[in-house]
Amino acid sequence: MQLNDEEENYNLSLSKFESMLKTNKVLFFDSEEFEEIILHYLDMGKAALAKKALKLALEQHPKSTGLKLVQVEMLVYDDKLDIAEKLLNELYAIEPTNEEIYIQKANIYSKRDNHEKAVELLKTALKYTDDYADVYNLIGMEYLFMDNLELAKENFIKCLEEDTEDQAALYNVVYCFEFLDQNQEAIDYLNKYIDKNPYSEIAWHQMGRLYYGLKNYEEALRAFDYATLIDDEFLGAFMEKAKTYERLKKYEEAIESYNRTIELDDATSYALLRIGKCYEKLGKKVLALKYFNKTVHEDPLLDKGWIAITDFYVRQKNYQKALFYVNKALSIDNQNRLYWKRYATINKELSFFEEAEFGYRKAVEFGDYQLDTWLFWVDILQFLGEFESAIQTLLQASEYFPEEYEVEYRLAGLYFMIHDDKKGKFHLSNGLRLNFKNHIMLEELFPVVWARKMVQNAINKNR
């Protein structure tokens, strides 16, 4: 009941203040009321109203330390650090044991990237504060800025010992553990935390994430189950739960969890896509396609959606339909290397070799430097009789894969094809050195070259 009274008084103060602004009448507020009003406007991002309230507050309470500290906070917010520091020094002369002075000074040093000094001041604030949790949290943040994750973690843990409900500190503790690659230690910590706070859905959710990262999907699922039982509207936990069910190949349950996320919030393209993937795994192709189409309708720019539809038709060997959808995807984003690679692969299956060559060229142009992309492209160029272009392409590929036998054997074959025997022998020697066992690929790719006596002598010499 007391909390409701406080809330009512707070709302009355706000209404009274806004009424005063409309009527231009000057009404009296005590300094604490003004502090709450100013901080409310700051939280709402209404800086102009906060400044107006502060001006009136200081006119009515010119000696209020609390209001002057709020003024400091606003000066820091506006990056007027020197003025803020001067005002803090004046306040320090009056109240040297006020922890808020040290906290605000620390804030200024933090803004100036002097995090060591900020920590020093916050440690002084600990001597005078009643709110240890807040100060430990601030110290933890300063250590995060310094990339000292071990000390950051230590202080976030101290913060949670003082205030088990501090969710930001809990997230930060787990972040530190993960960054330090201490996932099992994080799980051990969360187990102790849960012993004291069994109804913390955040702790259960974080534990589930950690188990998921360790590929312990059964334990992850158990943790996510608890998180969603405690809070049946915990969107993130339902999403993680669905992903875990997928890993466990429990696709019906995964669909159910993904659908729950859609009930809780608007449908996301990610959830729709995953539902489609689950239906495909269950062999329900019509439903899978329905959800893939919903995915691209929800987010036409999501490449995974278009790729899912294209790959769906590729798996059905319906290359005409696959080509239709990959062309549709390219009309939306013609600089997507994943689209171009699929465009090339589909055209190759349809024996449209010039289009396939163009697709592989575009895929590389837009950043696909995977070995198989280079090799598919080169093999198409060779098929089209463009040996010089194929050589230039392989030389480009060799910059990314300098010791790759598949590149070397192809270069050898192509150089022999254009009668540059010296370079052909050089690259054949490289291929044999790197992987003698697979020299047979030369026969598969270049039967004419394979039959040459010079080539057979080189192979036998390396045998």
Side-chain angles (χ1 to χ4, degrees), residues 17-266:
F17 180 76
E18 288 178 3
S19 168
M20 180 182 82
L21 291 178
K22 286 173 189 168
T23 58
N24 286 326
K25 287 180 183 174
V26 178
L27 303 172
F28 182 82
F29 297 84
D30 67 39
S31 61
E32 285 183 9
E33 276 183 295
F34 266 126
E35 280 181 50
E36 285 179 354
I37 290 165
I38 296 160
L39 292 172
H40 166 80
Y41 286 130
L42 282 178
D43 289 342
M44 297 287 288
K46 295 179 178 178
L49 279 172
K51 284 175 185 175
K52 194 172 278 190
L54 178 64
K55 184 174 180 292
L56 288 166
L58 288 170
E59 283 170 7
Q60 290 187 12
H61 306 279
K63 293 184 178 179
S64 166
T65 304
L67 285 170
K68 285 181 179 176
L69 283 166
V70 172
Q71 185 180 10
V72 166
E73 204 172 319
M74 288 178 69
L75 288 166
V76 171
Y77 179 81
D78 288 337
D79 271 334
K80 295 176 179 175
L81 304 183
D82 292 338
I83 302 168
E85 192 170 30
K86 188 182 173 192
L87 183 52
L88 278 173
N89 289 335
E90 290 169 12
L91 290 171
Y92 173 77
I94 303 163
E95 289 188 34
T97 60
N98 186 327
E99 80 274 14
E100 195 60 36
I101 292 169
Y102 296 98
I103 290 168
Q104 290 301 335
K105 275 199 169 193
N107 195 10
I108 289 169
Y109 278 103
S110 183
K111 282 249 184 183
R112 290 170 175 161
D113 288 329
N114 188 344
H115 302 294
E116 291 89 349
K117 183 66 179 174
V119 168
E120 189 186 309
L121 285 159
L122 288 167
K123 283 180 177 175
T124 306
L126 278 173
K127 296 175 188 174
Y128 304 115
T129 189
D130 293 325
D131 188 357
Y132 293 104
D134 186 43
V135 180
Y136 280 128
N137 195 31
L138 291 169
I139 294 171
M141 291 306 296
E142 292 303 318
Y143 280 124
L144 272 187
F145 293 138
M146 289 189 270
D147 291 328
N148 190 331
L149 278 292
E150 200 61 63
L151 283 174
K153 180 182 76 178
E154 192 181 296
N155 280 278
F156 289 131
I157 287 171
K158 284 179 181 175
C159 168
L160 285 165
E161 283 167 1
E162 296 293 331
D163 178 8
T164 56
E165 301 295 313
D166 193 324
Q167 293 183 357
L170 185 57
Y171 279 118
N172 282 328
V173 165
V174 176
Y175 168 78
C176 292
F177 274 118
E178 284 188 285
F179 193 90
L180 293 163
D181 211 14
Q182 298 172 349
N183 285 27
Q184 189 54 55
E185 291 91 332
I187 289 168
D188 295 341
Y189 173 78
L190 286 171
N191 270 316
K192 287 176 194 165
Y193 180 88
I194 285 166
D195 284 343
K196 295 175 188 171
N197 308 275
Y199 298 107
S200 169
E201 71 277 20
I202 303 294
W204 283 112
H205 174 243
Q206 291 299 300
M207 189 184 284
R209 280 186 55 259
L210 290 159
Y211 274 125
Y212 187 93
L214 293 170
K215 297 189 165 102
N216 188 340
Y217 301 121
E218 293 288 354
E219 284 297 327
L221 186 61
R222 187 178 76 88
F224 293 135
D225 262 337
Y226 277 117
T228 54
L229 280 168
I230 295 162
D231 180 357
D232 64 358
E233 294 189 353
F234 194 163
L235 182 69
F238 277 107
M239 188 66 83
E240 300 283 355
K241 190 174 170 180
K243 284 162 65 179
T244 310
Y245 273 129
E246 270 198 84
R247 290 288 184 180
L248 292 166
K249 297 185 169 42
K250 295 181 176 180
Y251 301 114
E252 296 279 7
E253 292 89 337
I255 291 167
E256 195 181 319
S257 283
Y258 282 126
N259 276 323
R260 181 69 180 129
T261 69
I262 292 168
E263 286 168 22
L264 291 169
D265 200 2
D266 291 337

